[in-house]
Amino acid sequence: MDSGGSTDMTLAFELEALKALADPNAVFNNARQWTEYVGVVSEKPTYVVTNFTRKHRVRQDFFSGPRGVEESLENISQQFDTDRHVFVGVDEEDEAVADATDWEFLHVEDAAEAAGWTLATGEAADEAPEEQARDDWP
């Protein structure tokens, strides 16, 4: 992804956008080369985000915690003072939240194409709910 040579950017992924990528850990490692901060926001409970990021060895600089996406983006932009704040999402609802919080919006497919990230296949995405259920096993 071309960031114009500046790494002064905060990049937030909606959890569903991160799930749409074949290798979330590789995406975060790549993004760290051209961003200052990278993390995950979601309307889902904190444990769902934590389970996913642990399973995929994603080291995030921030996450939404018990807040919703809109409140999280507002708090993140105040806490992480960078020139750009970019939100990677999956649908029009995500785009509306980005607009409401003054974040730039990128659809996950456009971000993946620009950065050279691989999208997950349909089969891998279909398996995600089963994998979440297994994460809760002792």
Side-chain angles (χ1 to χ4, degrees):
M1 181 175 280
D2 179 17
S3 62
S6 172
T7 61
D8 197 23
M9 178 193 313
T10 301
L11 184 65
F13 286 88
E14 206 292 325
L15 180 61
E16 295 306 313
L18 198 56
K19 287 179 177 182
L21 297 162
D23 189 348
N25 182 39
V27 167
F28 265 57
N29 289 337
N30 172 260
R32 288 188 189 288
Q33 296 174 29
W34 41 266
T35 62
E36 189 71 28
Y37 307 103
V38 61
V40 182
V41 295
S42 178
E43 296 286 342
K44 304 273 189 204
T46 302
Y47 77 89
V48 173
V49 176
T50 302
N51 285 346
F52 182 84
T53 55
R54 281 185 184 157
K55 178 177 183 175
H56 294 279
R57 295 182 173 89
V58 171
R59 184 177 57 84
Q60 53 190 337
D61 297 316
F62 58 83
F63 64 99
S64 53
R67 299 179 189 92
V69 172
E70 187 168 342
E71 185 181 351
S72 294
L73 293 178
E74 289 170 350
N75 288 337
I76 292 162
S77 62
Q78 291 171 3
Q79 188 174 7
F80 299 97
D81 186 25
T82 54
D83 288 343
R84 295 177 66 199
H85 293 89
V86 180
F87 179 48
V88 178
V90 296
D91 57 24
E92 291 176 0
E93 186 176 320
D94 291 342
E95 187 170 5
V97 169
D99 287 343
T101 56
D102 204 25
W103 280 61
E104 295 175 46
F105 178 79
L106 268 178
H107 192 280
V108 66
E109 291 171 354
D110 296 333
E113 183 177 336
W117 302 328
T118 303
L119 292 169
T121 64
E123 292 176 10
D126 291 343
E127 292 174 8
E130 294 174 24
E131 292 172 0
Q132 281 182 353
R134 288 194 298 263
D135 281 347
D136 292 336
W137 283 28

